Amino acid sequence: MENRNTVQRQLILETMQTMDHPDAESVYNEVVRIHPYISKATVYRNLNLLARKGQIAKVCTSEGADKFDFRTDKHYHMRCRNCGKIFDAPLPPAEDLLEKMGDTNGFCIENFMIEFVGLCADCKK
Amino acid sequence: MENRNTVQRQLILETMQTMDHPDAESVYNEVVRIHPYISKATVYRNLNLLARKGQIAKVCTSEGADKFDFRTDKHYHMRCRNCGKIFDAPLPPAEDLLEKMGDTNGFCIENFMIEFVGLCADCKK
DNA sequence: ATTTATGCAAATCATTTGCACATAG
DNA sequence: CTATGTGCAAATGATTTGCATAAAT
């Protein structure tokens, strides 16, 4: 299970560094301009692989296509219910939430996410 | 836009009261036993309508099919990453999160959700 | 009588998968 | 050389939609 260094994978990773919470489709649209014969399946496969490797993060929101994030540190997001765009939430890491939890009846928490939903500045107009 | 009182809608609402965070498919499987000719589209339409009316809540998770909840008060959920089941999180309403937020750059927050992800007691075995 | 709702099938959207061929190591 | 990756098209899964018919008010 060695990963090889393909031009497609490299390109997708580089492109991710320049984009703000894109979905797979947007990454494809960007990347296809440089590598015209790349397929969408390759983009999906590589975004997922890079996320598994920890080089980017997958942001599963509660509505719309999954987004990808070049930031891999713990933080939270705001999602515009109108245009679907994702923004970073200005909230410091809230690990203390876990301490406030009571008895989880044997449920073992590994991770948590906070999603703020509302209207972004543009859509508010 | 008056809502009519159909036997299907009534049955779906009653069934919801007896189920623990089911998805639309599960509600259908339950309801079809009593009303054999009901269609899945009717179940989807009515679950969405009941949620819009506030009689149940729609729980959009970050993976898997949407779930529905007869509890309509503010609370949070734990999702098992293995079986997908949803459990109520033993966390008191955390409205103070909003106060801890900094400058949102014009993003207007209307709502927020917290999702804990992990392994439920059954899947841990 | 009029409008809302239903059942069915087809459409949609995001994503994944099978497979033959290409390529990295 | 041989395992991993790619491109394509088809499959998938959840959900929605168009439309003719049925039921509620």
Side-chain angles (χ1 to χ4, degrees), chain B residues 9-57:
Chain B
R9 183 163 305 151
Q10 191 55 38
L11 178 56
I12 288 166
L13 180 55
E14 276 164 22
T15 302
M16 269 306 302
Q17 311 306 320
T18 72
M19 298 186 80
D20 185 35
H21 303 100
D23 56 18
E25 173 96 25
S26 308
V27 175
Y28 171 80
N29 288 335
E30 206 47 36
V31 151
V32 77
R33 292 165 43 187
I34 298 177
H35 198 94
Y37 290 108
I38 198 169
S39 104
K40 211 170 276 189
T42 297
V43 174
Y44 273 100
R45 275 188 287 238
N46 278 301
L47 287 172
N48 283 328
L49 182 147
L50 291 168
R52 241 180 295 123
K53 297 279 168 186
Q55 300 190 259
I56 62 177

Side-chain angles (χ1 to χ4, degrees), chain A residues 51-103:
Chain A
R52 241 181 292 122
K53 297 280 169 187
Q55 300 190 257
I56 61 176
K58 188 172 188 169
V59 182
C60 300
T61 66
S62 56
E63 212 182 294
D66 292 343
K67 306 293 189 298
F68 294 87
D69 197 343
F70 63 80
R71 274 185 66 179
T72 57
D73 62 308
K74 180 85 182 166
H75 64 287
Y76 313 102
H77 293 114
M78 306 186 291
R79 174 173 60 81
C80 177
R81 65 167 161 79
N82 186 249
C83 67
K85 272 208 207 71
I86 299 291
F87 303 82
D88 288 335
L91 180 73
E95 307 298 352
D96 55 308
L97 272 185
L98 292 169
E99 287 143 39
K100 291 187 183 139
M101 295 271 281
D103 176 20

Side-chain angles (χ1 to χ4, degrees), chain A residues 30-44:
Chain A
E30 207 46 36
V31 150
V32 78
R33 291 165 43 184
I34 298 178
H35 197 93
Y37 291 106
I38 198 169
S39 103
K40 210 169 277 188
T42 297
V43 174
Y44 272 100

Side-chain angles (χ1 to χ4, degrees), chain B residues 61-109:
Chain B
T61 66
S62 56
E63 213 181 294
D66 292 341
K67 305 293 188 300
F68 294 87
D69 195 342
F70 64 80
R71 271 187 67 180
T72 56
D73 62 308
K74 181 84 181 166
H75 64 288
Y76 312 104
H77 293 114
M78 307 187 290
R79 175 173 60 82
C80 177
R81 66 166 162 78
N82 187 249
C83 68
K85 272 207 206 73
I86 299 292
F87 302 82
D88 289 334
L91 180 72
E95 306 299 351
D96 56 309
L97 271 186
L98 291 170
E99 287 143 38
K100 292 187 183 140
M101 296 271 281
D103 177 19
T104 64
N105 268 303
F107 190 105
C108 178
I109 293 169

